Amino acid sequence: MAVPAHDERDFEFAEKFGLGVKWVVDSKEEGEELSKEQAFTEHGVSVNSGDFDGLTTAEAKKAITAKLAEISAGGPKITYKLRDWVFSRQRYWGEPIPIYFPVDFPEGVDPTTVDPKDEECDHTIRFDQPIPVDEADLPLKLPEMENFSPGDDPAGCLARAKDWRYFQKDGKWFARETNTMPQWAGSCWYYFRFLDPKNDAAAFSPELDEDWMPVDLYVGGAEHAVLHLLYARFWHQVLFDLGYTKHPEPFQKLVHQGMILGSDGEKMSKSRGNVVNPDDVVDAHGADALRLYEMFMGPLEAVKPWQTSQVAGVVRFQNKLYNVVQSAVTNGGVAEMDDETTKILHKTMKKVTEDIESMSFNTAISAMMVLTNHLTSLKDQVPKEAAEKLVLMVSPFAPHIGEECWSLLGHETSLAHHPWVEYDESLCVDNTVVIGVQVNGKKRGEIEIAVDADQDTAMTEAKKDSKVLNQLDGKNVKKIIYVPGRILNIVAK
């Protein structure tokens, strides 16, 4: 860039060859003197820059760009950087690339008298003359190979399958491409094939494209944004332009899940020694515990550190759930639902349903833990209906224990065939509310009153509290500030 004062490599070059170094950016910190022993690569304030002196780096960029546009010497421009996509692999597993090339022999050699599969045969593959395999000859299949290890040949292991690679056509020899396609070749459009996997006449039918596409939700990490997601859109745009699909975009919604870090808060890597093997967690606690903990760690999009010791928390939840179901089975299903249990159950069903829709799995699990604790407090009087609905809600998060508990409750078929829980909106609304009572700005107690209770009712209930009465004793109430459903503040002197 030829700015040695502000680029490390340019600075090293200038130092080595004794070139002059002119400083054009200074630190923004007053009184801080820059070291001349190394390049200053941070944002700062422009110096030795004529009309742009005193401007911050961000301001200088805009001012310089505007000046260039003013004198017709340049201007702002957005550029995009795209990684090269090498669409070939030197391995066996992958779709063969349906391309072949002519094979030339030395002048005077009759192609019908030689065989390029012979190691001693002198020949040249004309890679500069690619020929596509006829559509009637597709799909091109991989050859059967006993040894498909990579080997030393840069052409890949398929180069060793000479009976497959070389073939004759119309009296001439040809050689197939020995590179295979990367996994992107299938994964970039597999969502289409999922629509119609047994269709032998086409990749997918227009009717199923119309019924099912586009994909509702794409979940992937940030790395997918510049890899699979981008490439899938490339393929989809081609299929759209060719008229194979009616939908210009493949995915309607994108969610980036956060990365799970090691227990040290760093990205997991073998070099750091902080990698957690999920198989170890499954062996120790089961697959359900692993699933529950991963979802309970925090919001889906957040970056979260793994803490193996905290897996015990979801294991306790599983045990409580199992015990709740056992209680419902033991009492023979005769325990009835009281009002409190009914309201907590319906609030939980509403919460879990909405949280699954918004992919707020951690708060859904938290709500189920609260319900489980409440049902545990009922001891041997757990209503079967409450236990069944709890098991249904747990099942997407912990399917194994969900099926086990469902069976314990007397069901012979999988809960996967049972409808999802339904809640009554009216039972999700509280009829009463607990609010704080303040006297002269300090909290002196709490009262439980109807949500729509008026000021007189609130005062009547407040005066039943001995602590509030003590603060009002011998004083005159000068003012009452009442915010329904929130607070009662009494000013007394």
Side-chain angles (χ1 to χ4, degrees):
M1 296 193 301
V3 284
H6 309 291
D7 181 86
E8 292 177 352
R9 289 177 299 177
D10 286 358
F11 185 84
E12 292 174 3
F13 185 88
E15 286 283 292
K16 181 174 182 178
F17 294 100
L19 303 179
V21 177
K22 185 174 183 179
W23 303 83
V24 294
V25 180
D26 202 350
S27 172
K28 290 189 289 187
E29 301 296 330
E30 293 187 11
E32 180 180 346
E33 186 173 343
L34 292 183
S35 169
K36 305 300 182 182
E37 303 299 321
Q38 60 184 6
F40 178 69
T41 59
E42 306 296 328
H43 285 193
V45 177
S46 298
V47 295
N48 299 323
S49 302
D51 295 340
F52 308 107
D53 280 356
L55 298 179
T56 65
T57 299
E59 293 169 341
K61 287 180 180 180
K62 293 180 180 179
I64 292 170
T65 304
K67 184 66 175 180
L68 289 171
E70 180 184 332
I71 62 176
S72 301
K77 182 181 179 180
I78 298 174
T79 57
Y80 298 90
K81 182 179 180 181
L82 181 63
R83 292 175 54 175
D84 289 337
W85 189 11
V86 180
F87 195 76
S88 63
R89 299 290 186 271
Q90 294 72 49
R91 62 190 180 205
Y92 179 80
W93 298 115
E95 296 87 345
I97 296 175
I99 297 290
Y100 61 95
F101 310 91
V103 177
D104 284 353
F105 299 94
E107 188 175 352
V109 175
D110 183 357
T112 63
T113 64
V114 292
D115 188 347
K117 292 177 284 186
D118 187 343
E119 292 287 349
E120 304 300 325
C121 180
D122 185 14
H123 66 282
T124 302
I125 300 175
R126 297 301 304 270
F127 291 108
D128 59 331
Q129 299 177 25
I131 304 169
V133 172
D134 290 340
E135 188 170 339
D137 295 329
L138 296 175
L140 177 61
K141 296 183 178 181
L142 288 168
E144 295 286 341
M145 296 181 70
E146 291 186 5
N147 176 18
F148 42 81
S149 59
D152 299 325
D153 192 335
C157 64
L158 290 182
R160 301 198 299 268
K162 294 189 176 183
D163 289 337
W164 175 84
R165 185 183 193 188
Y166 294 99
F167 66 96
Q168 283 184 298
K169 184 178 181 180
D170 300 329
K172 298 179 181 180
W173 280 99
F174 298 91
R176 300 189 192 280
E177 172 61 62
T178 57
N179 284 318
T180 55
M181 300 184 199
Q183 67 269 30
W184 307 111
S187 67
C188 282
W189 68 280
Y190 68 120
Y191 51 88
F192 274 124
R193 189 59 179 170
F194 282 170
L195 304 179
D196 207 359
K198 296 182 180 180
N199 190 335
D200 294 330
F204 54 92
S205 72
E207 293 78 17
L208 291 176
D209 172 57
E210 179 68 24
D211 289 344
W212 289 98
M213 289 298 292
V215 176
D216 296 300
L217 175 65
Y218 182 111
V219 180
E223 70 277 6
H224 287 83
V226 291
L227 292 174
H228 181 270
L229 175 62
L230 185 63
Y231 300 153
R233 293 187 67 231
F234 285 167
W235 284 61
H236 192 97
Q237 294 293 330
V238 171
L239 293 171
F240 174 72
D241 290 345
L242 293 175
Y244 287 102
T245 177
K246 293 183 178 180
H247 309 283
E249 289 289 344
F251 315 115
Q252 294 191 85
K253 182 180 179 181
L254 169 66
V255 173
H256 280 166
Q257 83 268 21
M259 182 181 296
I260 296 180
L261 307 176
S263 58
D264 56 359
E266 299 289 340
K267 184 177 180 180
M268 289 189 190
S269 70
K270 292 181 180 179
S271 62
R272 292 193 181 98
N274 62 352
V275 175
V276 176
N277 187 340
D279 291 342
D280 296 338
V281 181
V282 172
D283 289 342
H285 304 289
D288 281 348
L290 174 64
R291 288 166 56 94
L292 281 168
Y293 178 62
E294 283 190 317
M295 289 182 276
F296 188 57
M297 289 174 70
L300 177 65
E301 300 87 349
V303 176
K304 306 168 283 285
W306 178 273
Q307 298 293 339
T308 301
S309 60
Q310 295 182 6
V311 178
V314 296
V315 173
R316 287 193 296 272
F317 167 56
Q318 287 181 283
N319 293 340
K320 286 184 178 181
L321 168 66
Y322 191 84
N323 290 336
V324 161
V325 172
Q326 287 280 29
S327 297
V329 173
T330 301
N331 68 40
V334 298
E336 296 184 358
M337 296 262 285
D338 57 30
D339 291 343
E340 182 183 9
T341 301
T342 300
K343 291 185 71 68
I344 293 177
L345 176 62
H346 280 262
K347 287 181 180 179
T348 305
M349 291 191 293
K350 174 181 171 68
K351 175 69 173 170
V352 173
T353 300
E354 293 177 347
D355 281 354
I356 288 177
E357 287 292 331
S358 64
M359 304 187 79
S360 302
F361 304 128
N362 58 316
T363 52
I365 294 172
S366 179
M368 289 187 289
M369 287 179 171
V370 172
L371 174 60
T372 302
N373 287 338
H374 171 75
L375 295 179
T376 300
S377 70
L378 301 180
K379 299 185 179 181
D380 60 351
Q381 294 300 307
V382 176
K384 182 179 179 181
E385 178 187 353
E388 286 181 331
K389 293 187 182 302
L390 174 58
V391 169
L392 285 170
M393 288 187 284
V394 168
S395 63
F397 302 86
H400 300 93
I401 194 171
E403 289 287 359
E404 174 70 13
C405 291
W406 192 248
S407 177
L408 285 174
L409 287 165
H411 299 279
E412 296 182 356
T413 58
S414 169
L415 55 70
H417 303 297
H418 196 280
W420 182 246
V421 296
E422 294 183 359
Y423 57 89
D424 185 337
E425 187 70 51
S426 65
L427 294 173
C428 298
V429 179
D430 288 321
N431 297 322
T432 62
V433 62
V434 176
I435 66 172
V437 179
Q438 294 182 344
V439 178
N440 295 330
K442 292 185 178 181
K443 185 177 178 180
R444 301 301 181 181
E446 290 183 339
I447 55 174
E448 182 175 355
I449 55 177
V451 173
D452 57 353
D454 58 19
Q455 179 175 297
D456 290 341
T457 301
M459 281 295 294
T460 299
E461 291 299 316
K463 289 178 179 179
K464 294 178 182 179
D465 190 312
S466 60
K467 293 181 180 179
V468 174
L469 276 178
N470 289 337
Q471 294 297 318
L472 297 177
D473 187 29
K475 299 176 183 177
N476 293 322
V477 175
K478 299 295 185 181
K479 188 177 182 180
I480 299 173
I481 303 171
Y482 175 57
V483 180
R486 302 203 41 196
I487 195 168
L488 173 65
N489 188 5
I490 305 169
V491 180
K493 292 184 181 180

